[in-house]
């Protein structure tokens, strides 16, 4: 019975994805895409303001995982699984998910959950000590009962706290949607999806104990949200056709990138010539090692919007990854200009310029990659390519500094420290680059020592 209840909690937590996660984000696959990141920022800006966040402070991170999930693990960052977007029918459903997670950020729930977990752990440890003492005194049954009772009390306490948090986040979500003049229909319809999935994965003979789950029951949440949101002035506000078209395109892109190519081609057959389908099939053919077919699809897509930077970016990416960096440069160059030097697009252009093996392209590569890392210094691949540029230009100290940045971002303090030390030996003392190398070396040295301490 205990085992069944635990498995249900796991299923529900994974499904309801509007959870406060304590999962290792670093172990997940983080997806970076300029178009998706820009879109997520746009559709959440009004709600972020409602939550009291400064413009641009909210960061939305896309996780490469086909399950439905979204969570906050600390700070002003919302992690959204790609499966959440894939299973959404429109952008308003996605806004409902974001509104809920903003409620967790506003409430500081990541920190408070850690404290609640620590409190529950203390109850568990105390019951283990009492149980062990009873067993040592010759009362094994009493000792086992004490252990089980303590564990049950600790779990119940934590689950009750978690349910209260989720209820508060739902209430905050209503306010964020209303303040941003957004309809709540998407949030309610997404909860309907979760409810159907919950029923599908719950055995028909199993009665879920409402005190043994870490979320309020989906039926109750959906009822509360429908009653509350339908009373707002924005309930019947229609979808913005332009935003919905962008959403469908991004959804098609993610399906094309994440799903098996054969499955993608079944979801988006050749008879479907919508932008979303062209996007999905371009990725599917590319991942299936059919570059000519991929280019045909993307050329049809580009023809619908010849100067769209994200379409040009995809064409350049396909050509680059198909071993044609010289052909990739023109579309990537235009995409960089038309996107206002978006750092992700700029870094791809820099990669193509380096991969062309043409010394005449090094100056441009250096320029665009420097802009890319200045605007987004959390892109290891951009630092890698900038390091290659410095190496080709004979600037080994700054190549070492770029490598230090890369290794630091990748969580490799040993190599980061060695690369930073190497950089400091060749960069003039007191310059900004020297001070940056010094910072990396000190931080990496501390991280390396902490890693050694944990292994002991």
């Amino acid at each position: 019975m205990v085992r069944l209840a635990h498995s249900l909690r796991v299923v529900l937590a994974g499904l309801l994805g509007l959870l406060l996660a304590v999962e290792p984000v670093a172990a997940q696959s983080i997806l970076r895409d300029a178009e998706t990141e820009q879109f997520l920022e746009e559709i959440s800006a009004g709600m972020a303001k409602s939550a009291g966040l400064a413009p641009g402070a909210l960061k939305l991170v896309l996780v490469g995982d086909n399950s439905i999930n979204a969570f906050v693990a600390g700070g002003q960052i919302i992690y959204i699984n790609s499966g959440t977007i894939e299973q959404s029918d429109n952008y308003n459903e996605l806004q409902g998910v974001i509104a809920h997670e903003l409620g967790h950020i506003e409430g500081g729930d990541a920190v408070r959950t850690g404290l609640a977990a620590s409190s529950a752990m203390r109850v568990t440890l105390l019951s283990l000590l009492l149980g062990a003492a009873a067993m040592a005194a010759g009362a094994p049954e009493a000792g086992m009962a004490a252990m089980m009772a303590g564990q049950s009390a600790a779990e119940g306490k934590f689950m009750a706290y978690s349910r209260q948090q989720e209820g508060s986040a739902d209430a905050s979500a209503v306010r964020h949607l209303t303040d941003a003049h957004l309809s709540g229909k998407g949030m309610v319809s997404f909860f309907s999806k979760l409810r159907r999935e919950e029923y599908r994965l719950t055995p028909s003979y199993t009665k879920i104990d409402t005190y043994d789950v870490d979320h309020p029951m989906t039926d109750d949440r959906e009822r509360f949200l429908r009653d509350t949101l339908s009373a707002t002035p924005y309930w019947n506000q229609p979808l913005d056709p332009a935003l919905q078209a962008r959403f469908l395109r991004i959804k098609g892109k993610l399906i094309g990138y994440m799903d098996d190519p054969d499955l993608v081609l079944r979801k988006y057959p050749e008879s479907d010539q919508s932008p979303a389908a062209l996007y999905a099939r371009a990725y599917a053919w590319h991942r299936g090692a059919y570059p000519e077919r991929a280019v045909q699809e993307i050329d049809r897509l580009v023809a619908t919007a010849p100067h769209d930077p994200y379409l040009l970016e995809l064409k350049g990416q396909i050509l680059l990854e198909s071993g044609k960096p010289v052909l990739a440069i023109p579309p990537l160059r235009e995409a960089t200009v038309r996107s206002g030097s978006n750092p992700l697009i700029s870094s791809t252009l820099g990669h193509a310029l380096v991969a062309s093996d043409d010394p005449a392209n090094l100056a441009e590569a250096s320029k665009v990659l420097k802009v890319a890392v200045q605007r987004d210094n959390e892109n290891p691949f951009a630092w890698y390519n900038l390091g290659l540029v410095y190496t080709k230009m004979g600037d080994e100290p700054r190549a070492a500094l770029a490598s230090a940045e890369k290794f630091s971002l990748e969580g490799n303090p040993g190599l980061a420290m060695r690369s930073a030390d190497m950089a400091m030996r060749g960069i003039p003392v007191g310059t900004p680059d020297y001070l940056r190398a010094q910072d990396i070396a000190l931080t990496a040295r501390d991280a390396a020592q902490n890693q050694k301490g944990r292994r002991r």
Side-chain angles (χ1 to χ4, degrees):
M1 186 65 179
V2 173
R3 183 176 301 169
L4 177 60
H6 174 70
S7 66
L8 281 173
R9 279 202 303 275
V10 173
V11 169
L12 290 173
L15 271 177
L16 296 180
L18 309 165
L19 76 159
L20 193 55
V22 204
E23 59 182 281
V25 178
Q28 304 293 315
S29 171
I30 301 300
L31 304 181
R32 299 295 311 274
D33 177 68
E35 181 177 19
T36 304
E37 290 179 4
Q38 177 65 29
F39 181 77
L40 291 175
E41 182 180 345
E42 284 185 30
I43 66 170
S44 61
M47 295 183 291
K49 181 180 179 181
S50 170
L53 304 186
L58 177 64
K59 186 175 181 181
L60 296 112
V61 176
L62 187 63
V63 180
D65 188 321
N66 285 329
S67 64
I68 301 175
N69 202 0
F71 55 92
V72 174
Q76 298 175 350
I77 307 173
I78 296 175
Y79 297 89
I80 301 175
N81 279 12
S82 56
T84 303
I85 296 178
E86 289 189 31
Q87 295 302 318
S88 298
D89 292 326
N90 56 65
Y91 69 87
N92 190 228
E93 291 188 341
L94 195 54
Q95 285 175 321
V97 174
I98 294 170
H100 175 90
E101 297 307 324
L102 277 167
H104 284 307
I105 291 177
E106 188 179 42
D109 290 347
V111 174
R112 294 181 182 180
T113 292
L115 295 174
S118 297
S119 177
M121 181 63 72
R122 285 194 293 272
V123 173
T124 300
L125 291 175
L126 179 59
S127 69
L128 289 175
L129 291 173
L130 293 174
M135 294 170 77
E141 293 183 359
M144 183 61 69
M147 291 180 180
M148 295 296 291
Q151 181 178 348
S152 178
E155 283 189 359
K157 181 178 181 180
F158 184 77
M159 293 298 173
Y161 178 78
S162 181
R163 290 193 298 272
Q164 184 272 327
Q165 278 190 332
E166 294 302 322
S168 295
D170 285 345
S172 294
V174 171
R175 175 164 48 82
H176 300 327
L177 288 165
T178 305
D179 287 350
H181 298 180
L182 300 174
S183 172
K185 281 187 177 179
M187 188 172 191
V188 174
S189 63
F190 197 80
F191 264 89
S192 296
K193 287 185 172 71
L194 295 176
R195 176 171 47 78
R196 290 194 296 270
E197 193 71 1
E198 178 182 312
Y199 290 163
R200 185 179 70 83
L201 293 179
T202 302
S204 59
Y205 56 81
T206 301
K207 178 176 175 58
I208 300 176
D209 186 345
T210 57
Y211 294 99
D212 204 28
V213 292
D214 58 2
H215 285 62
M217 297 307 295
T218 306
D219 274 343
D220 297 334
R221 299 174 77 182
E222 184 182 351
R223 190 179 305 109
F224 162 76
L225 290 169
R226 183 181 297 277
D227 291 346
T228 308
L229 288 166
S230 62
T232 70
Y234 312 105
W235 175 252
N236 290 314
Q237 181 171 289
L239 293 173
D240 181 320
L243 283 179
Q244 179 63 5
R246 291 170 62 191
F247 167 79
L248 292 175
R249 209 169 80 165
I250 287 169
K251 179 177 175 177
K253 175 194 292 192
L254 280 177
I255 290 174
Y257 183 80
M258 292 294 298
D259 290 4
D260 181 82
D262 289 337
L263 180 60
V264 176
L265 295 174
R266 287 198 295 272
K267 286 183 178 179
Y268 294 97
E270 292 287 345
S271 58
D272 187 349
Q273 291 295 307
S274 67
L278 293 170
Y279 232 142
R281 288 199 301 270
Y283 262 115
W285 288 121
H286 178 51
R287 292 174 59 234
Y290 292 93
E292 293 81 9
R293 296 292 299 271
V295 171
Q296 288 175 6
E297 297 286 4
I298 194 60
D299 279 344
R300 292 192 188 102
L301 190 53
V302 171
T304 66
H307 303 296
D308 186 308
Y310 304 119
L311 305 185
L312 293 168
E313 176 198 21
L314 178 57
K315 180 173 183 177
Q317 178 189 347
I318 290 174
L319 290 169
L320 175 60
E321 294 176 359
S322 300
K324 301 175 181 178
V326 174
L327 294 179
I329 291 173
L332 288 173
R333 188 180 279 142
E334 183 179 355
T336 298
V337 171
R338 292 188 179 278
S339 68
S341 295
N342 177 278
L344 290 176
I345 299 177
S346 296
S347 66
T348 306
L349 171 59
H351 179 200
L353 292 164
V354 172
S356 70
D357 283 330
D358 185 347
N361 288 330
L362 290 178
E364 183 181 3
S366 174
K367 179 180 178 181
V368 297
L369 287 168
K370 285 179 180 177
V371 170
V373 296
Q374 284 170 1
R375 294 189 175 186
D376 179 4
N377 64 0
E378 297 182 358
N379 186 341
F381 195 59
W383 284 112
Y384 170 76
N385 280 293
L386 185 57
L388 288 179
V389 171
Y390 283 132
T391 298
K392 290 175 180 289
M393 297 176 74
D395 191 343
E396 292 297 338
R398 284 176 178 77
L401 176 55
S403 295
E405 296 276 12
K406 171 183 176 292
F407 290 130
S408 179
L409 289 170
E410 292 175 340
N412 191 331
L415 290 177
M417 181 173 58
R418 286 195 286 274
S419 297
D421 287 340
M422 187 184 302
M424 285 189 290
R425 288 197 289 269
I427 296 176
V429 176
T431 62
D433 284 345
Y434 181 90
L435 295 175
R436 178 57 186 159
Q438 190 176 56
D439 286 344
I440 294 175
L442 291 171
T443 302
R445 190 167 287 110
D446 288 343
Q449 289 173 352
N450 289 337
Q451 285 185 357
K452 287 181 181 178
R454 286 195 296 269
R455 284 196 292 266
R456 289 174 185 166

